[in-house]
Amino acid sequence: MTLQVFPEDRPPFSHSVKFGQFLGNGQLNYNLFPGETTMAAMASGRDTGDGQTPRKYPGITSPISLAEPTKFDIDLNVKLVNTLKPYNVFDTEEGLTHRMVVLGKLNKLVKEWIKQVSLAKNMPPAIAETVGGKIYTFGSYRLGVHGAGADIDTLCVAPRHVDRSDFFTSFYEILKDQKETTDIRGVEEAFVPVIKLDFDGVELDILFARLALPQIPEDQDLREESLLKNLDQRCVRSLNGCRVTDEMLHLVPNRENFRLALRAIKLWAKRRGVYSNVLGFLGGVSWAMLVARTCQLYPNAIASTLIHKFFLVFSRWEWPQPVLLKQIDENSKLGFQVWDPRTNPMDRFHLMPIITPAYPQQNSTYNVSLSTRAIMQEEFKIGLHVTQEIFEGKATWDKLFEPGSFFGKYKHYIVLSTSASSKDHHLEWVGLVESKVRILIGNLERTAYIALAHVNPKQYPPLNPQEDVFVTNWFIGLQFNKIEGGNIDLTFEIQSFTDTVHRQAISNGTLKEGMKIEARSVRRKQLGEYLPPSLLKFNKKRSLPAQGEEAAETPPRKKISLDSGISPASTPGSAQTTPVTVRSLSTKPEETDTPPATTTSPPNPEAEGQQSTTPEPTANGTLDDSVTETNGSAAGTGVKRPHSPDTPEAVADGNSKQSNSQDVSGTEPSADKKQSSSPDSQETKVDAPVESSEPAAKRPHSPSNEGPDQKIQRQVSPPLAMCLANTPFG
């Protein structure tokens, strides 16, 4: 393994130094330039000869650099703060006070509710007064990086005689009856059950955990591992949010530098459209762990430097090597499953593992797909290029936070729309569909035609809203593999997605009359039918200049390639596409400008397996201990994924066991594709021969068996064939 370091007496971008290489005995072999022995010894924690005990730094490896900030770094830090202020990443004093008042009211409600439950279960009044109960915070509020108007993640901790059913019944009703409460909804069947509400203007997410204790002391520390004994998995997952947040704060060398850097990175991620755990990007806890790891590697750096080092480290990180903040304790006897590719075969297929530091260790990026990883890798490289310009005085911090030009980046899009007849039903429907969009992305990735499926995390209202119809739109940009032309049919992929949403809606009772889901294929020039002109003023696409060249005024867009072997795709052509709508069964197909065609059940091309390729090695090696990447085929996906099930030794960061594959975000694992379509899904299809030399095989297509659900009027609409007829791509 090689690490990169920039000595204090050299420009940060002119030279790189191989800092150290791990030998078989775990020692570091230093390969340094003359005069750098002292700095390297300090970074490794060795005694420098001054008789002082070397300082210990948190992290699984030694720091890369212990350089102190220069005046130039401090000046950039001041400019960074001034740049962040207009974006409302800092809360006001009034806002902080109001949040404390809201949390105080919520804590009081929790204590009163637990007392009522205790009395209802025949507990003596004197004891019921002392059983306690408390509200804890976690997430951005606990880390100290929340902005104005941000939500607060909270955890309700109750003693052992209070059940989760009490939380979602009696406590839910107490909250609902409060005059300050609006938009309350409970999601009891979620991977991490939660009550969501707006309380006195503050958005709250409330989780529940019951400890195996008769009382909850006011000073209870949730970091104690013994608290997990005899708890069910849902309580453990709920507690994990607080435990991870507290552990993270204990693992960074300087909290203030960490907080300012994290504020900037979160703003950058949101502006660039890569902040959404549920849609397959990274959520708040994952971004925080990446920043925390950067702080460990550069413990004395201030925020301005940490931001540049963040992009330097993770633009060269060789995924799927996991990111760890601490060594994993293998001696725990509680028996919870942790993320460990040596023993858990499914953990070997995770594409971008970022492992939580608290037991039981979990992968916080379970939802990341091939497309979202490729998008984030490209954004890391762009961020590195911009921060390098900032340090060289060629740009300001504002350039880093420029939004991406999503609607000018692709020539073909899928518009995914959800609609409902009431506001409450729509809120519930949007939450369900959003949690399943990543399934659609995975379905699209597994086709032979699509190199990249890029979902925009932002939700958009309709351009022309109708009364009593509530609509939300998502947009998915498509980048195609280079083919000579032909008929691209995405019916199976969209049908599988709508079937999954439909089954989930029926199973949890979400499906209501008037709920619909639609998917339409549009060209870029047709986006004006869905979006205001202000969003369609395309910015020049920011990309990296070729090596040894200056950035042109309008540089060509960098090709994005996926590590699983999907070949790099060029920009799709501008040929006509057929706009296709997914409708309810009772709706007649709308007329399009396509030639007349017969109504048949379309053949579905089989998603061809794609060969895996090893990622290109970085110029200076890896930046941390890592899992050795191997090639293994993900069962049932048709896509080669990193890590073979036959290589259980592929584990890193010091022979330590890792954590489990559960997603701390609260989303559940993606459902398998449904291999049949509805008997009613008769779809219009334009027949056009595929001119490619190797046409995709046909999928078996058989009617689905609705079983007992046949009598239920199906509101989730089956998709029609999405045909890009006789369209040359490339």
Side-chain angles (χ1 to χ4, degrees):
M1 186 197 77
T2 57
L3 298 176
Q4 201 178 44
V5 64
F6 297 113
E8 297 91 327
D9 58 346
R10 294 186 178 175
F13 311 107
S14 59
H15 297 85
S16 61
V17 181
K18 291 185 176 180
F19 175 65
Q21 187 173 16
F22 276 103
L23 303 179
N25 58 2
Q27 300 295 320
L28 277 170
N29 178 27
Y30 295 97
N31 179 19
L32 303 169
F33 287 96
E36 295 173 354
T37 307
T38 303
M39 185 192 69
M42 292 172 59
S44 67
R46 296 186 298 175
D47 192 344
T48 59
D50 57 2
Q52 298 180 358
T53 303
R55 176 184 173 185
K56 292 185 178 180
Y57 294 95
I60 60 173
T61 61
S62 302
I64 293 177
S65 173
L66 298 177
E68 297 288 341
T70 64
K71 184 180 184 303
F72 178 76
D73 297 332
I74 296 173
D75 291 341
L76 277 182
N77 214 53
V78 174
K79 294 177 181 178
L80 173 64
V81 173
N82 293 333
T83 302
L84 292 176
K85 286 180 179 178
Y87 293 102
N88 293 324
V89 299
F90 302 101
D91 205 353
T92 62
E93 291 294 332
E94 295 79 7
L96 288 171
T97 302
H98 180 61
R99 289 170 183 272
M100 293 178 65
V101 171
V102 168
L103 290 173
K105 292 180 180 179
L106 183 62
N107 196 51
K108 183 178 179 181
L109 288 175
V110 166
K111 293 182 180 298
E112 293 177 353
W113 164 66
I114 291 178
K115 178 181 176 181
Q116 292 175 11
V117 172
S118 302
L119 293 174
K121 295 185 176 182
N122 299 321
M123 182 173 288
I127 299 179
E129 290 282 353
T130 61
V131 293
K134 189 177 178 182
I135 283 288
Y136 290 83
T137 61
F138 62 99
S140 61
Y141 185 83
R142 177 70 181 91
L143 289 173
V145 296
H146 66 282
D151 64 343
I152 303 179
D153 297 313
T154 61
L155 171 68
C156 173
V157 177
R160 61 191 178 193
H161 62 277
V162 181
D163 299 324
R164 187 177 301 276
S165 59
D166 298 323
F167 177 75
F168 281 98
T169 53
S170 57
F171 187 62
Y172 179 89
E173 292 300 324
I174 290 175
L175 290 173
K176 190 175 181 180
D177 292 339
Q178 302 301 310
K179 62 181 181 180
E180 299 93 342
T181 298
T182 58
D183 295 335
I184 184 171
R185 58 197 183 280
V187 192
E188 188 172 1
E189 300 303 322
F191 188 68
V192 180
V194 61
I195 292 178
K196 296 175 173 286
L197 74 155
D198 286 346
F199 192 89
D200 199 10
V202 178
E203 186 178 349
L204 297 173
D205 290 351
I206 310 177
L207 310 184
F208 174 81
R210 178 182 67 170
L211 301 184
L213 299 174
Q215 299 178 353
I216 305 298
E218 282 295 320
D219 59 349
Q220 180 65 57
D221 185 1
L222 298 182
R223 294 176 64 212
E224 297 178 11
E225 191 173 307
S226 59
L227 293 176
L228 303 180
K229 190 175 182 180
N230 299 325
L231 298 187
D232 61 31
Q233 285 285 355
R234 288 183 296 179
C235 283
V236 172
R237 288 195 290 264
S238 298
L239 283 169
N240 210 32
C242 289
R243 289 167 50 79
V244 167
T245 303
D246 290 346
E247 194 69 38
M248 202 182 309
L249 289 174
H250 283 80
L251 290 173
V252 294
N254 187 304
R255 294 186 182 182
E256 291 307 312
N257 291 336
F258 164 73
R259 285 169 174 154
L260 181 56
L262 180 56
R263 288 182 192 272
I265 293 299
K266 289 180 66 176
L267 175 63
W268 165 83
K270 292 175 181 178
R271 299 282 289 178
R272 301 298 296 177
V274 290
Y275 189 101
S276 176
N277 181 78
V278 70
L279 292 178
F281 295 103
L282 303 190
V285 65
S286 300
W287 289 117
M289 285 191 284
L290 293 186
V291 175
R293 183 66 183 126
T294 308
C295 292
Q296 291 178 344
L297 295 174
Y298 301 91
N300 296 329
I302 58 177
S304 59
T305 304
L306 288 172
I307 293 170
H308 169 65
K309 300 303 184 183
F310 171 88
F311 291 115
L312 172 65
V313 170
F314 295 108
S315 65
R316 303 186 181 187
W317 195 272
E318 292 186 354
W319 305 104
Q321 297 172 6
V323 175
L324 294 169
L325 296 182
K326 61 181 290 188
Q327 294 287 1
I328 298 174
D329 183 10
E330 301 183 18
N331 300 321
S332 178
K333 299 180 180 179
L334 295 180
F336 291 105
Q337 188 178 35
V338 298
W339 188 88
D340 189 348
R342 296 174 298 183
T343 58
N344 303 327
M346 290 305 298
D347 292 346
R348 301 168 193 170
F349 304 124
H350 293 173
L351 301 175
M352 203 172 177
I354 302 173
I355 310 305
T356 57
Y359 178 85
Q361 288 77 13
Q362 302 175 354
N363 177 21
S364 66
T365 58
Y366 179 89
N367 292 336
V368 170
S369 68
L370 291 167
S371 291
T372 54
R373 183 181 69 174
I375 293 163
M376 286 186 285
Q377 286 177 312
E378 180 70 9
E379 290 296 336
F380 286 145
K381 294 175 183 177
I382 294 173
L384 175 61
H385 180 69
V386 173
T387 53
Q388 179 170 339
E389 289 184 339
I390 293 172
F391 271 78
E392 293 174 346
K394 299 178 181 179
T396 64
W397 287 109
D398 290 299
K399 185 174 182 179
L400 182 64
F401 305 120
E402 289 178 357
S405 57
F406 175 80
F407 294 110
K409 189 174 184 180
Y410 305 100
K411 292 190 176 181
H412 299 279
Y413 294 83
I414 293 176
V415 182
L416 184 64
S417 300
T418 59
S419 60
S421 56
S422 71
K423 183 178 180 181
D424 291 339
H425 289 172
H426 180 249
L427 191 66
E428 193 174 11
W429 187 229
V430 166
L432 175 62
V433 174
E434 184 180 40
S435 69
K436 304 299 180 184
V437 169
R438 59 189 172 86
I439 298 177
L440 175 59
I441 300 300
N443 293 347
L444 295 174
E445 289 177 343
R446 286 188 285 270
T447 67
Y449 315 111
I450 296 177
L452 196 72
H454 183 179
V455 58
N456 189 336
K458 188 174 181 180
Q459 301 173 6
Y460 294 89
L463 190 60
N464 300 308
Q466 302 177 10
E467 188 176 357
D468 297 331
V469 178
F470 299 86
V471 180
T472 294
N473 296 325
W474 290 273
F475 292 84
I476 302 172
L478 299 179
Q479 185 174 357
F480 293 92
N481 284 315
K482 186 174 182 179
I483 58 176
E484 295 181 1
N487 183 28
I488 295 180
D489 181 7
L490 300 178
T491 300
F492 181 86
E493 287 69 28
I494 299 178
Q495 182 69 59
S496 176
F497 164 69
T498 56
D499 286 346
T500 300
V501 175
H502 176 249
R503 289 194 302 268
Q504 182 69 29
I506 289 179
S507 66
N508 61 18
T510 301
L511 190 62
K512 305 292 192 306
E513 184 177 357
M515 289 182 174
K516 296 180 182 179
I517 181 171
E518 297 180 340
R520 177 182 287 269
S521 170
V522 300
R523 299 187 304 275
R524 183 168 61 196
K525 67 180 183 180
Q526 296 174 305
L527 291 174
E529 301 174 11
Y530 303 91
L531 297 166
S534 58
L535 292 176
L536 300 179
K537 294 179 180 178
F538 306 128
N539 299 324
K540 293 178 180 179
K541 288 176 277 187
R542 185 196 298 174
S543 62
L544 302 178
Q547 190 172 12
E549 297 180 0
E550 293 296 330
E553 183 177 355
T554 308
R557 182 162 61 87
K558 184 180 178 68
K559 293 180 181 179
I560 300 176
S561 63
L562 304 181
D563 288 349
S564 66
I566 297 179
S567 60
S570 59
T571 306
S574 58
Q576 297 284 331
T577 65
T578 303
V580 180
T581 305
V582 184
R583 307 176 181 81
S584 62
L585 292 176
S586 60
T587 306
K588 294 181 179 180
E590 68 177 25
E591 296 182 358
T592 66
D593 55 358
T594 58
T598 57
T599 302
T600 59
S601 296
N604 296 287
E606 183 71 16
E608 296 181 355
Q610 302 177 17
Q611 297 301 317
S612 176
T613 59
T614 305
E616 295 182 3
T618 59
N620 294 285
T622 62
L623 295 169
D624 204 345
D625 293 343
S626 60
V627 173
T628 303
E629 184 174 15
T630 58
N631 294 329
S633 177
T637 65
V639 176
K640 297 278 186 175
R641 297 295 178 91
H643 294 304
S644 168
D646 299 323
T647 56
E649 66 274 15
V651 176
D653 285 320
N655 300 330
S656 62
K657 284 189 178 180
Q658 314 298 334
S659 53
N660 77 357
S661 62
Q662 302 297 339
D663 175 18
V664 300
S665 70
T667 56
E668 54 194 9
S670 60
D672 294 333
K673 268 192 182 181
K674 188 175 183 179
Q675 297 297 324
S676 58
S677 63
S678 170
D680 296 323
S681 59
Q682 302 296 323
E683 298 146 349
T684 302
K685 181 176 183 296
V686 178
D687 294 324
V690 178
E691 298 178 4
S692 175
S693 59
E694 296 182 6
K698 303 288 187 180
R699 283 197 191 88
H701 195 75
S702 59
S704 63
N705 186 0
E706 294 287 349
D709 296 334
Q710 287 178 334
K711 298 181 180 179
I712 299 176
Q713 182 179 1
R714 185 167 182 171
Q715 298 295 334
V716 178
S717 310
L720 300 180
M722 179 176 298
C723 301
L724 307 179
N726 297 322
T727 303
F729 300 102

